[in-house]
Amino acid sequence: LNQKTLLTRLLVWTSFIHLGKGDLERGKALVDEAWTLAGMEGPEPEFVDVHMVVPAHIGRAAFYLFSDQREEAISIAERGLEIADRNGYVIWAIHHLLPIMAEAHIHTRALDRAERVGRRLRRDSQRLGHALGLAWADACDAFVVWLSGDLEGGVRKLRAAQEALEAIPIVPDAARVRRQLAARMADLGDREGALRELR
């Protein structure tokens, strides 16, 4: 049916399944196919359709994040964000671009940048009533608080973020946050509570 816009998005969302399972090779193949289909190859990419181009950036940024290439993830996500902003598509910023940027900044311990991205994620999500964006913003806040040295505050905020993600439900993200919650509880000496969260 030559539905290139839909195919690009399906390739990216399918790649998330493979990346989440640790199959980076298959995930990358899908991301690369989406990138090519969106017209991003070559020295001067032709921006045909924002609904192809931005998801292609999301896929590539996610691959870099999952493969521990955090600076590359940030760079690609920023380029995708610039395209989304220029075209007025706030929803594409909320849906993965800002969360990927926030997570990459957290991994590199650039907490001021993570906090700034989290603020924008919360502001845009509130404007649209986007529950998932708000839950991701909660998770960003929780990690910034924890990494700033407030373990108890981090535990409280991680639990709130995990509960928000689970309520939607976005199970994989909720499980990842719950695993971090367990680690922080263990840091505070609550071994039984940590084991309960891990179970």
Side-chain angles (χ1 to χ4, degrees), residues 142-143 146 151-152 154-163 166 173-199:
F143 284 107
W146 158 48
L151 282 181
E152 291 181 356
V155 164
R156 285 193 302 275
K157 286 184 172 290
L158 282 167
R159 184 173 299 287
Q162 170 265 310
E163 289 173 354
E166 213 161 75
D173 288 359
R176 292 176 68 212
V177 173
R178 190 185 288 273
R179 183 168 54 84
Q180 292 296 329
L181 170 62
R184 305 298 66 80
M185 291 173 74
D187 290 343
L188 289 170
D190 184 1
R191 184 174 180 274
E192 287 306 312
L195 287 170
R196 189 166 54 249
E197 296 300 333
L198 289 171
R199 284 193 209 91

Side-chain angles (χ1 to χ4, degrees), residues 71-88:
E71 294 300 334
E72 289 86 349
I74 292 166
S75 176
I76 290 288
E78 285 176 342
R79 283 169 48 194
L81 184 61
E82 182 183 331
I83 295 165
D85 284 346
R86 190 166 64 237
N87 289 278

Side-chain angles (χ1 to χ4, degrees), residues 28-48 52-53 56-57 60 64 76 79:
K28 184 178 187 304
L30 293 167
V31 165
D32 287 348
E33 186 178 348
W35 191 258
T36 300
L37 196 60
M40 299 306 298
E41 295 293 345
E44 294 184 18
E46 181 182 351
F47 295 155
V48 178
M52 295 172 68
V53 171
H57 280 77
R60 183 154 281 195
Y64 284 136
I76 290 288
R79 283 169 48 194

